[in-house]
Short mmCIF file of all heavy atoms in Angstrom, two decimals:
data_model
loop_
_atom_site.label_atom_id
_atom_site.label_comp_id
_atom_site.label_asym_id
_atom_site.label_seq_id
_atom_site.Cartn_x
_atom_site.Cartn_y
_atom_site.Cartn_z
N MET A 1 0.83 -1.19 0.00
CA MET A 1 0.00 0.00 0.00
C MET A 1 0.87 1.25 0.00
O MET A 1 1.91 1.28 0.63
CB MET A 1 -0.88 0.03 1.24
CG MET A 1 -2.20 -0.61 1.07
SD MET A 1 -3.21 -0.28 2.51
CE MET A 1 -4.18 -1.74 2.43
N THR A 2 0.40 2.25 -0.69
CA THR A 2 1.10 3.53 -0.73
C THR A 2 0.79 4.31 0.54
O THR A 2 -0.33 4.30 1.03
CB THR A 2 0.61 4.34 -1.95
OG1 THR A 2 0.85 3.59 -3.12
CG2 THR A 2 1.31 5.67 -2.05
N VAL A 3 1.79 4.98 1.07
CA VAL A 3 1.57 5.90 2.18
C VAL A 3 1.31 7.27 1.56
O VAL A 3 2.19 7.85 0.92
CB VAL A 3 2.78 5.95 3.13
CG1 VAL A 3 2.56 6.97 4.23
CG2 VAL A 3 3.05 4.57 3.71
N TRP A 4 0.09 7.75 1.70
CA TRP A 4 -0.33 8.99 1.05
C TRP A 4 -0.16 10.19 1.97
O TRP A 4 -0.36 10.09 3.17
CB TRP A 4 -1.80 8.90 0.67
CG TRP A 4 -2.11 7.93 -0.42
CD1 TRP A 4 -2.40 6.61 -0.27
CD2 TRP A 4 -2.18 8.20 -1.81
NE1 TRP A 4 -2.65 6.04 -1.50
CE2 TRP A 4 -2.51 7.00 -2.46
CE3 TRP A 4 -1.98 9.34 -2.58
CZ2 TRP A 4 -2.66 6.91 -3.84
CZ3 TRP A 4 -2.13 9.26 -3.95
CH2 TRP A 4 -2.46 8.06 -4.56
N THR A 5 0.13 11.33 1.37
CA THR A 5 0.08 12.61 2.08
C THR A 5 -1.15 13.36 1.57
O THR A 5 -1.69 13.03 0.50
CB THR A 5 1.34 13.46 1.80
OG1 THR A 5 1.37 13.81 0.42
CG2 THR A 5 2.62 12.72 2.20
N ILE A 6 -1.58 14.35 2.31
CA ILE A 6 -2.74 15.15 1.89
C ILE A 6 -2.47 15.82 0.52
O ILE A 6 -3.32 15.73 -0.37
CB ILE A 6 -3.12 16.20 2.96
CG1 ILE A 6 -3.58 15.50 4.24
CG2 ILE A 6 -4.17 17.17 2.44
CD1 ILE A 6 -4.90 14.81 4.16
N PRO A 7 -1.31 16.45 0.31
CA PRO A 7 -1.07 17.06 -1.01
C PRO A 7 -1.08 16.05 -2.16
O PRO A 7 -1.61 16.34 -3.24
CB PRO A 7 0.31 17.71 -0.87
CG PRO A 7 0.46 17.98 0.60
CD PRO A 7 -0.25 16.82 1.26
N GLU A 8 -0.52 14.86 -1.95
CA GLU A 8 -0.54 13.83 -2.99
C GLU A 8 -1.96 13.39 -3.30
O GLU A 8 -2.33 13.23 -4.46
CB GLU A 8 0.27 12.61 -2.56
CG GLU A 8 1.76 12.84 -2.49
CD GLU A 8 2.49 11.69 -1.81
OE1 GLU A 8 1.87 10.92 -1.04
OE2 GLU A 8 3.70 11.58 -2.05
N ALA A 9 -2.75 13.18 -2.25
CA ALA A 9 -4.14 12.76 -2.43
C ALA A 9 -4.96 13.83 -3.14
O ALA A 9 -5.78 13.52 -4.01
CB ALA A 9 -4.76 12.42 -1.09
N THR A 10 -4.72 15.09 -2.78
CA THR A 10 -5.44 16.20 -3.42
C THR A 10 -5.13 16.26 -4.90
O THR A 10 -6.02 16.49 -5.72
CB THR A 10 -5.06 17.54 -2.75
OG1 THR A 10 -5.39 17.47 -1.36
CG2 THR A 10 -5.78 18.71 -3.38
N LYS A 11 -3.87 16.02 -5.26
CA LYS A 11 -3.47 16.05 -6.67
C LYS A 11 -4.02 14.85 -7.44
O LYS A 11 -4.51 14.99 -8.55
CB LYS A 11 -1.94 16.06 -6.77
CG LYS A 11 -1.44 16.20 -8.17
CD LYS A 11 0.08 16.31 -8.19
CE LYS A 11 0.57 16.44 -9.63
NZ LYS A 11 2.02 16.56 -9.70
N GLU A 12 -3.98 13.65 -6.85
CA GLU A 12 -4.42 12.43 -7.52
C GLU A 12 -5.94 12.34 -7.63
O GLU A 12 -6.47 11.85 -8.62
CB GLU A 12 -3.89 11.21 -6.77
CG GLU A 12 -4.23 9.89 -7.41
CD GLU A 12 -3.47 9.61 -8.70
OE1 GLU A 12 -2.44 10.26 -8.95
OE2 GLU A 12 -3.91 8.73 -9.46
N PHE A 13 -6.66 12.80 -6.58
CA PHE A 13 -8.12 12.69 -6.52
C PHE A 13 -8.74 14.06 -6.23
O PHE A 13 -9.27 14.30 -5.15
CB PHE A 13 -8.54 11.69 -5.43
CG PHE A 13 -8.01 10.31 -5.64
CD1 PHE A 13 -6.94 9.83 -4.90
CD2 PHE A 13 -8.56 9.47 -6.59
CE1 PHE A 13 -6.44 8.55 -5.08
CE2 PHE A 13 -8.07 8.18 -6.79
CZ PHE A 13 -7.01 7.73 -6.03
N PRO A 14 -8.69 14.98 -7.21
CA PRO A 14 -9.26 16.31 -6.98
C PRO A 14 -10.79 16.27 -6.90
O PRO A 14 -11.42 15.34 -7.40
CB PRO A 14 -8.81 17.10 -8.21
CG PRO A 14 -8.63 16.07 -9.27
CD PRO A 14 -8.16 14.83 -8.56
N VAL A 15 -11.35 17.27 -6.24
CA VAL A 15 -12.81 17.39 -6.18
C VAL A 15 -13.34 17.40 -7.61
O VAL A 15 -12.81 18.10 -8.48
CB VAL A 15 -13.23 18.66 -5.42
CG1 VAL A 15 -14.73 18.88 -5.53
CG2 VAL A 15 -12.80 18.58 -3.96
N GLY A 16 -14.36 16.59 -7.87
CA GLY A 16 -14.96 16.48 -9.20
C GLY A 16 -14.45 15.30 -10.01
O GLY A 16 -15.03 14.97 -11.04
N ALA A 17 -13.38 14.64 -9.54
CA ALA A 17 -12.84 13.49 -10.27
C ALA A 17 -13.80 12.31 -10.17
O ALA A 17 -14.42 12.07 -9.13
CB ALA A 17 -11.48 13.09 -9.70
N LYS A 18 -13.94 11.57 -11.25
CA LYS A 18 -14.74 10.34 -11.28
C LYS A 18 -13.87 9.20 -10.79
O LYS A 18 -12.74 9.03 -11.26
CB LYS A 18 -15.24 10.04 -12.69
CG LYS A 18 -16.05 11.15 -13.32
CD LYS A 18 -17.38 11.32 -12.65
CE LYS A 18 -18.18 12.38 -13.39
NZ LYS A 18 -19.32 12.82 -12.65
N VAL A 19 -14.38 8.41 -9.83
CA VAL A 19 -13.59 7.33 -9.25
C VAL A 19 -14.40 6.04 -9.13
O VAL A 19 -15.63 6.06 -9.17
CB VAL A 19 -13.07 7.71 -7.83
CG1 VAL A 19 -12.07 8.84 -7.90
CG2 VAL A 19 -14.21 8.04 -6.89
N LYS A 20 -13.66 4.96 -8.98
CA LYS A 20 -14.23 3.66 -8.63
C LYS A 20 -13.80 3.38 -7.20
O LYS A 20 -12.64 3.57 -6.85
CB LYS A 20 -13.70 2.56 -9.55
CG LYS A 20 -14.16 2.67 -10.97
CD LYS A 20 -13.59 1.55 -11.80
CE LYS A 20 -14.00 1.67 -13.25
NZ LYS A 20 -13.38 0.62 -14.09
N TYR A 21 -14.76 2.93 -6.38
CA TYR A 21 -14.49 2.58 -4.99
C TYR A 21 -14.65 1.08 -4.84
O TYR A 21 -15.69 0.52 -5.17
CB TYR A 21 -15.45 3.31 -4.06
CG TYR A 21 -15.44 2.77 -2.65
CD1 TYR A 21 -14.29 2.84 -1.87
CD2 TYR A 21 -16.55 2.17 -2.10
CE1 TYR A 21 -14.27 2.33 -0.59
CE2 TYR A 21 -16.55 1.66 -0.82
CZ TYR A 21 -15.41 1.75 -0.06
OH TYR A 21 -15.38 1.25 1.21
N TYR A 22 -13.60 0.43 -4.34
CA TYR A 22 -13.60 -1.01 -4.12
C TYR A 22 -13.73 -1.28 -2.62
O TYR A 22 -12.76 -1.08 -1.88
CB TYR A 22 -12.31 -1.65 -4.65
CG TYR A 22 -12.15 -1.47 -6.13
CD1 TYR A 22 -11.46 -0.39 -6.66
CD2 TYR A 22 -12.71 -2.38 -7.01
CE1 TYR A 22 -11.32 -0.22 -8.03
CE2 TYR A 22 -12.57 -2.23 -8.39
CZ TYR A 22 -11.88 -1.14 -8.88
OH TYR A 22 -11.76 -0.98 -10.24
N PRO A 23 -14.92 -1.71 -2.13
CA PRO A 23 -15.06 -2.00 -0.71
C PRO A 23 -14.02 -3.02 -0.22
O PRO A 23 -13.52 -2.90 0.89
CB PRO A 23 -16.49 -2.55 -0.59
CG PRO A 23 -17.21 -1.96 -1.76
CD PRO A 23 -16.19 -1.90 -2.85
N LEU A 24 -13.71 -4.02 -1.04
CA LEU A 24 -12.69 -5.01 -0.71
C LEU A 24 -11.58 -4.89 -1.76
O LEU A 24 -11.82 -5.12 -2.95
CB LEU A 24 -13.26 -6.42 -0.73
CG LEU A 24 -14.38 -6.69 0.27
CD1 LEU A 24 -14.96 -8.08 0.04
CD2 LEU A 24 -13.88 -6.56 1.69
N ILE A 25 -10.39 -4.52 -1.34
CA ILE A 25 -9.30 -4.30 -2.27
C ILE A 25 -9.01 -5.55 -3.09
O ILE A 25 -8.70 -5.48 -4.27
CB ILE A 25 -8.03 -3.83 -1.53
CG1 ILE A 25 -8.25 -2.44 -0.95
CG2 ILE A 25 -6.82 -3.82 -2.46
CD1 ILE A 25 -7.11 -1.93 -0.10
N ALA A 26 -9.12 -6.72 -2.48
CA ALA A 26 -8.79 -7.97 -3.16
C ALA A 26 -9.82 -8.35 -4.23
O ALA A 26 -9.56 -9.21 -5.06
CB ALA A 26 -8.66 -9.10 -2.15
N ASN A 27 -11.00 -7.72 -4.22
CA ASN A 27 -12.05 -8.07 -5.17
C ASN A 27 -12.26 -6.92 -6.14
O ASN A 27 -13.03 -6.00 -5.88
CB ASN A 27 -13.35 -8.38 -4.42
CG ASN A 27 -14.46 -8.81 -5.34
OD1 ASN A 27 -14.34 -8.77 -6.55
ND2 ASN A 27 -15.56 -9.24 -4.77
N LYS A 28 -11.59 -6.97 -7.28
CA LYS A 28 -11.69 -5.89 -8.27
C LYS A 28 -12.91 -6.04 -9.18
O LYS A 28 -13.07 -5.29 -10.13
CB LYS A 28 -10.41 -5.83 -9.11
CG LYS A 28 -9.19 -5.38 -8.35
CD LYS A 28 -9.25 -3.89 -8.10
CE LYS A 28 -7.95 -3.40 -7.49
NZ LYS A 28 -7.83 -1.97 -7.50
N LYS A 29 -13.80 -7.02 -8.89
CA LYS A 29 -15.00 -7.19 -9.70
C LYS A 29 -16.14 -6.31 -9.19
O LYS A 29 -16.97 -5.88 -9.97
CB LYS A 29 -15.44 -8.66 -9.68
CG LYS A 29 -14.46 -9.58 -10.37
CD LYS A 29 -14.92 -11.02 -10.30
CE LYS A 29 -13.88 -11.94 -10.91
NZ LYS A 29 -14.23 -13.34 -10.75
N ASN A 30 -16.20 -6.10 -7.89
CA ASN A 30 -17.30 -5.33 -7.30
C ASN A 30 -16.81 -3.95 -6.89
O ASN A 30 -15.88 -3.82 -6.09
CB ASN A 30 -17.85 -6.05 -6.06
CG ASN A 30 -18.45 -7.39 -6.42
OD1 ASN A 30 -19.11 -7.53 -7.44
ND2 ASN A 30 -18.22 -8.38 -5.59
N PHE A 31 -17.43 -2.93 -7.45
CA PHE A 31 -17.05 -1.56 -7.12
C PHE A 31 -18.25 -0.65 -7.30
O PHE A 31 -19.24 -0.99 -7.94
CB PHE A 31 -15.88 -1.08 -7.98
CG PHE A 31 -16.16 -1.08 -9.46
CD1 PHE A 31 -16.74 0.03 -10.07
CD2 PHE A 31 -15.84 -2.17 -10.24
CE1 PHE A 31 -17.00 0.04 -11.43
CE2 PHE A 31 -16.08 -2.18 -11.61
CZ PHE A 31 -16.66 -1.07 -12.20
N LEU A 32 -18.15 0.52 -6.70
CA LEU A 32 -19.14 1.58 -6.85
C LEU A 32 -18.46 2.72 -7.58
O LEU A 32 -17.27 2.94 -7.43
CB LEU A 32 -19.60 2.07 -5.47
CG LEU A 32 -20.19 1.02 -4.54
CD1 LEU A 32 -20.37 1.60 -3.14
CD2 LEU A 32 -21.51 0.53 -5.08
N GLU A 33 -19.22 3.44 -8.39
CA GLU A 33 -18.67 4.60 -9.08
C GLU A 33 -19.27 5.86 -8.48
O GLU A 33 -20.43 5.87 -8.07
CB GLU A 33 -18.96 4.54 -10.57
CG GLU A 33 -18.21 3.43 -11.27
CD GLU A 33 -18.37 3.46 -12.76
OE1 GLU A 33 -19.49 3.17 -13.22
OE2 GLU A 33 -17.39 3.78 -13.44
N GLY A 34 -18.47 6.90 -8.39
CA GLY A 34 -18.95 8.16 -7.86
C GLY A 34 -18.00 9.29 -8.22
O GLY A 34 -17.06 9.11 -8.99
N THR A 35 -18.27 10.44 -7.62
CA THR A 35 -17.49 11.65 -7.86
C THR A 35 -16.92 12.13 -6.53
O THR A 35 -17.63 12.14 -5.52
CB THR A 35 -18.38 12.75 -8.46
OG1 THR A 35 -18.96 12.24 -9.67
CG2 THR A 35 -17.60 14.00 -8.77
N VAL A 36 -15.66 12.51 -6.53
CA VAL A 36 -15.04 13.06 -5.32
C VAL A 36 -15.73 14.38 -4.99
O VAL A 36 -15.85 15.25 -5.84
CB VAL A 36 -13.52 13.28 -5.54
CG1 VAL A 36 -12.90 13.96 -4.33
CG2 VAL A 36 -12.82 11.97 -5.83
N THR A 37 -16.21 14.50 -3.73
CA THR A 37 -16.95 15.69 -3.33
C THR A 37 -16.29 16.47 -2.20
O THR A 37 -16.89 17.42 -1.69
CB THR A 37 -18.39 15.32 -2.92
OG1 THR A 37 -18.33 14.43 -1.80
CG2 THR A 37 -19.16 14.69 -4.07
N SER A 38 -15.09 16.07 -1.78
CA SER A 38 -14.41 16.79 -0.70
C SER A 38 -12.90 16.74 -0.87
O SER A 38 -12.38 15.91 -1.61
CB SER A 38 -14.77 16.17 0.66
OG SER A 38 -14.07 14.95 0.84
N GLU A 39 -12.24 17.63 -0.16
CA GLU A 39 -10.79 17.56 -0.04
C GLU A 39 -10.48 16.40 0.91
O GLU A 39 -11.30 16.03 1.75
CB GLU A 39 -10.26 18.86 0.56
CG GLU A 39 -10.50 20.09 -0.30
CD GLU A 39 -9.68 20.08 -1.58
OE1 GLU A 39 -8.53 19.58 -1.55
OE2 GLU A 39 -10.18 20.57 -2.61
N PRO A 40 -9.30 15.79 0.79
CA PRO A 40 -8.95 14.69 1.69
C PRO A 40 -8.64 15.19 3.11
O PRO A 40 -8.27 16.35 3.30
CB PRO A 40 -7.69 14.09 1.05
CG PRO A 40 -7.13 15.16 0.19
CD PRO A 40 -8.27 16.03 -0.22
N TRP A 41 -8.82 14.29 4.07
CA TRP A 41 -8.45 14.54 5.46
C TRP A 41 -7.95 13.23 6.05
O TRP A 41 -8.02 12.20 5.40
CB TRP A 41 -9.60 15.17 6.23
CG TRP A 41 -10.75 14.28 6.58
CD1 TRP A 41 -10.95 13.59 7.75
CD2 TRP A 41 -11.90 13.98 5.76
NE1 TRP A 41 -12.13 12.89 7.71
CE2 TRP A 41 -12.73 13.11 6.50
CE3 TRP A 41 -12.31 14.35 4.48
CZ2 TRP A 41 -13.93 12.62 6.00
CZ3 TRP A 41 -13.50 13.85 4.00
CH2 TRP A 41 -14.30 13.00 4.74
N ILE A 42 -7.45 13.29 7.26
CA ILE A 42 -6.88 12.10 7.89
C ILE A 42 -7.76 11.63 9.03
O ILE A 42 -8.20 12.42 9.87
CB ILE A 42 -5.45 12.38 8.40
CG1 ILE A 42 -4.54 12.69 7.22
CG2 ILE A 42 -4.92 11.19 9.20
CD1 ILE A 42 -3.13 13.04 7.57
N VAL A 43 -8.03 10.32 9.06
CA VAL A 43 -8.77 9.67 10.14
C VAL A 43 -7.93 8.47 10.59
O VAL A 43 -7.63 7.59 9.79
CB VAL A 43 -10.17 9.18 9.67
CG1 VAL A 43 -10.85 8.38 10.77
CG2 VAL A 43 -11.03 10.34 9.23
N CYS A 44 -7.52 8.48 11.84
CA CYS A 44 -6.73 7.37 12.41
C CYS A 44 -5.52 7.03 11.54
O CYS A 44 -5.22 5.86 11.30
CB CYS A 44 -7.60 6.14 12.62
SG CYS A 44 -8.94 6.40 13.78
N GLY A 45 -4.85 8.04 11.01
CA GLY A 45 -3.66 7.83 10.21
C GLY A 45 -3.92 7.47 8.76
O GLY A 45 -2.98 7.28 7.99
N GLU A 46 -5.17 7.38 8.37
CA GLU A 46 -5.57 6.99 7.00
C GLU A 46 -6.09 8.22 6.27
O GLU A 46 -6.91 8.98 6.80
CB GLU A 46 -6.67 5.95 7.14
CG GLU A 46 -7.01 5.14 5.95
CD GLU A 46 -5.97 4.13 5.53
OE1 GLU A 46 -5.23 3.60 6.36
OE2 GLU A 46 -5.92 3.90 4.32
N VAL A 47 -5.64 8.44 5.03
CA VAL A 47 -6.15 9.56 4.22
C VAL A 47 -7.47 9.12 3.60
O VAL A 47 -7.55 8.07 2.96
CB VAL A 47 -5.14 9.97 3.13
CG1 VAL A 47 -5.72 11.10 2.28
CG2 VAL A 47 -3.82 10.41 3.75
N VAL A 48 -8.50 9.93 3.81
CA VAL A 48 -9.85 9.61 3.33
C VAL A 48 -10.42 10.82 2.61
O VAL A 48 -9.93 11.95 2.76
CB VAL A 48 -10.79 9.20 4.49
CG1 VAL A 48 -10.27 7.98 5.21
CG2 VAL A 48 -10.99 10.34 5.47
N LEU A 49 -11.47 10.58 1.82
CA LEU A 49 -12.22 11.66 1.21
C LEU A 49 -13.65 11.21 0.98
O LEU A 49 -13.98 10.05 1.11
CB LEU A 49 -11.57 12.16 -0.08
CG LEU A 49 -11.14 11.17 -1.15
CD1 LEU A 49 -12.30 10.63 -1.93
CD2 LEU A 49 -10.18 11.87 -2.09
N LYS A 50 -14.51 12.15 0.65
CA LYS A 50 -15.93 11.88 0.44
C LYS A 50 -16.18 11.64 -1.04
O LYS A 50 -15.67 12.35 -1.89
CB LYS A 50 -16.75 13.08 0.93
CG LYS A 50 -18.23 12.94 0.74
CD LYS A 50 -18.85 12.09 1.82
CE LYS A 50 -20.35 12.03 1.65
NZ LYS A 50 -20.84 10.84 1.01
N VAL A 51 -17.00 10.60 -1.32
CA VAL A 51 -17.39 10.27 -2.68
C VAL A 51 -18.92 10.25 -2.74
O VAL A 51 -19.57 9.71 -1.83
CB VAL A 51 -16.82 8.89 -3.10
CG1 VAL A 51 -17.34 8.47 -4.45
CG2 VAL A 51 -15.29 8.93 -3.11
N SER A 52 -19.48 10.84 -3.79
CA SER A 52 -20.94 10.88 -3.93
C SER A 52 -21.53 9.48 -3.85
O SER A 52 -20.93 8.51 -4.32
CB SER A 52 -21.33 11.54 -5.27
OG SER A 52 -20.85 10.76 -6.35
N GLY A 53 -22.70 9.38 -3.24
CA GLY A 53 -23.38 8.10 -3.13
C GLY A 53 -22.90 7.23 -1.99
O GLY A 53 -23.36 6.09 -1.85
N THR A 54 -21.96 7.74 -1.18
CA THR A 54 -21.46 6.97 -0.04
C THR A 54 -21.59 7.82 1.23
O THR A 54 -21.84 9.02 1.16
CB THR A 54 -19.98 6.58 -0.23
OG1 THR A 54 -19.18 7.76 -0.27
CG2 THR A 54 -19.78 5.77 -1.50
N VAL A 55 -21.42 7.17 2.37
CA VAL A 55 -21.52 7.86 3.65
C VAL A 55 -20.15 7.85 4.31
O VAL A 55 -19.49 6.81 4.37
CB VAL A 55 -22.55 7.15 4.56
CG1 VAL A 55 -22.59 7.80 5.93
CG2 VAL A 55 -23.91 7.14 3.91
N GLY A 56 -19.73 8.99 4.81
CA GLY A 56 -18.46 9.08 5.52
C GLY A 56 -17.28 9.17 4.58
O GLY A 56 -17.41 9.27 3.37
N GLY A 57 -16.08 9.12 5.19
CA GLY A 57 -14.86 9.19 4.41
C GLY A 57 -14.43 7.82 3.94
O GLY A 57 -14.54 6.84 4.66
N LEU A 58 -13.92 7.74 2.71
CA LEU A 58 -13.44 6.48 2.14
C LEU A 58 -11.93 6.54 2.02
O LEU A 58 -11.37 7.54 1.55
CB LEU A 58 -14.04 6.26 0.76
CG LEU A 58 -15.55 6.21 0.67
CD1 LEU A 58 -15.97 6.03 -0.79
CD2 LEU A 58 -16.12 5.11 1.52
N SER A 59 -11.26 5.47 2.39
CA SER A 59 -9.82 5.39 2.27
C SER A 59 -9.42 5.49 0.80
O SER A 59 -9.97 4.79 -0.05
CB SER A 59 -9.30 4.07 2.84
OG SER A 59 -7.94 3.89 2.50
N ILE A 60 -8.45 6.34 0.51
CA ILE A 60 -8.04 6.46 -0.88
C ILE A 60 -7.29 5.22 -1.36
O ILE A 60 -7.13 5.04 -2.57
CB ILE A 60 -7.25 7.74 -1.16
CG1 ILE A 60 -5.96 7.79 -0.37
CG2 ILE A 60 -8.10 8.96 -0.91
CD1 ILE A 60 -5.07 8.94 -0.78
N ASP A 61 -6.90 4.34 -0.45
CA ASP A 61 -6.30 3.07 -0.87
C ASP A 61 -7.33 2.19 -1.60
O ASP A 61 -6.96 1.27 -2.30
CB ASP A 61 -5.77 2.30 0.34
CG ASP A 61 -4.51 2.92 0.90
OD1 ASP A 61 -3.75 3.57 0.13
OD2 ASP A 61 -4.26 2.76 2.11
N HIS A 62 -8.61 2.50 -1.43
CA HIS A 62 -9.69 1.72 -2.06
C HIS A 62 -10.22 2.38 -3.32
O HIS A 62 -11.24 1.96 -3.86
CB HIS A 62 -10.83 1.50 -1.07
CG HIS A 62 -10.51 0.57 0.04
ND1 HIS A 62 -11.06 -0.68 0.13
CD2 HIS A 62 -9.69 0.69 1.10
CE1 HIS A 62 -10.60 -1.29 1.21
NE2 HIS A 62 -9.76 -0.47 1.82
N LEU A 63 -9.57 3.46 -3.77
CA LEU A 63 -10.06 4.21 -4.92
C LEU A 63 -9.12 4.11 -6.12
O LEU A 63 -7.91 3.95 -5.96
CB LEU A 63 -10.18 5.70 -4.57
CG LEU A 63 -11.14 6.08 -3.46
CD1 LEU A 63 -11.06 7.59 -3.23
CD2 LEU A 63 -12.54 5.67 -3.78
N GLU A 64 -9.69 4.25 -7.30
CA GLU A 64 -8.90 4.47 -8.51
C GLU A 64 -9.72 5.38 -9.42
O GLU A 64 -10.95 5.39 -9.35
CB GLU A 64 -8.51 3.18 -9.20
CG GLU A 64 -9.61 2.44 -9.89
CD GLU A 64 -9.10 1.18 -10.60
OE1 GLU A 64 -8.21 0.49 -10.09
OE2 GLU A 64 -9.64 0.88 -11.68
N LEU A 65 -9.03 6.16 -10.22
CA LEU A 65 -9.72 7.05 -11.14
C LEU A 65 -10.45 6.27 -12.21
O LEU A 65 -9.94 5.25 -12.70
CB LEU A 65 -8.71 8.00 -11.79
CG LEU A 65 -8.04 9.02 -10.87
CD1 LEU A 65 -6.96 9.77 -11.62
CD2 LEU A 65 -9.06 9.98 -10.28
N SER A 66 -11.66 6.72 -12.55
CA SER A 66 -12.41 6.13 -13.65
C SER A 66 -11.90 6.73 -14.95
O SER A 66 -11.38 7.84 -14.96
CB SER A 66 -13.90 6.44 -13.53
OG SER A 66 -14.47 5.74 -12.48
N GLU A 67 -12.09 6.02 -16.02
CA GLU A 67 -11.61 6.52 -17.30
C GLU A 67 -12.73 7.09 -18.12
O GLU A 67 -13.86 6.91 -17.90
CB GLU A 67 -10.92 5.40 -18.03
CG GLU A 67 -9.81 4.90 -17.17
CD GLU A 67 -8.88 3.91 -17.85
OE1 GLU A 67 -8.93 3.76 -19.07
OE2 GLU A 67 -8.11 3.31 -17.13
#
């Protein structure tokens, strides 16, 4: 896993970016699609951000940009 900083996360996943969210990292078949709706912040040492259609902050380790 990558150790993310807030500036790196902001650059990789800017507000408005389309992303895929994988609830289970090991299962790349099941994912939700949404739009980044917040700047990243840190929760318990993990960089998270808000994605439309979800509740709370999502770890950016579970995200990838949609094409």
Side-chain angles (χ1 to χ4, degrees):
M1 269 189 209
T2 302
V3 176
W4 292 88
T5 65
I6 296 289
E8 291 169 339
T10 301
K11 184 176 180 180
E12 183 71 18
F13 300 104
V15 172
K18 303 290 184 194
V19 294
K20 292 180 182 177
Y21 167 64
Y22 298 92
L24 299 173
I25 292 175
N27 183 353
K28 292 285 187 168
K29 294 179 184 175
N30 297 320
F31 60 88
L32 303 170
E33 291 186 291
T35 303
V36 175
T37 61
S38 75
E39 297 291 325
W41 72 95
I42 296 177
V43 174
C44 298
E46 195 70 31
V47 178
V48 300
L49 49 75
K50 179 80 177 100
V51 174
S52 63
T54 64
V55 177
L58 302 178
S59 169
I60 62 172
D61 287 332
H62 289 251
L63 299 177
E64 72 178 37
L65 293 173
S66 289
E67 302 189 13

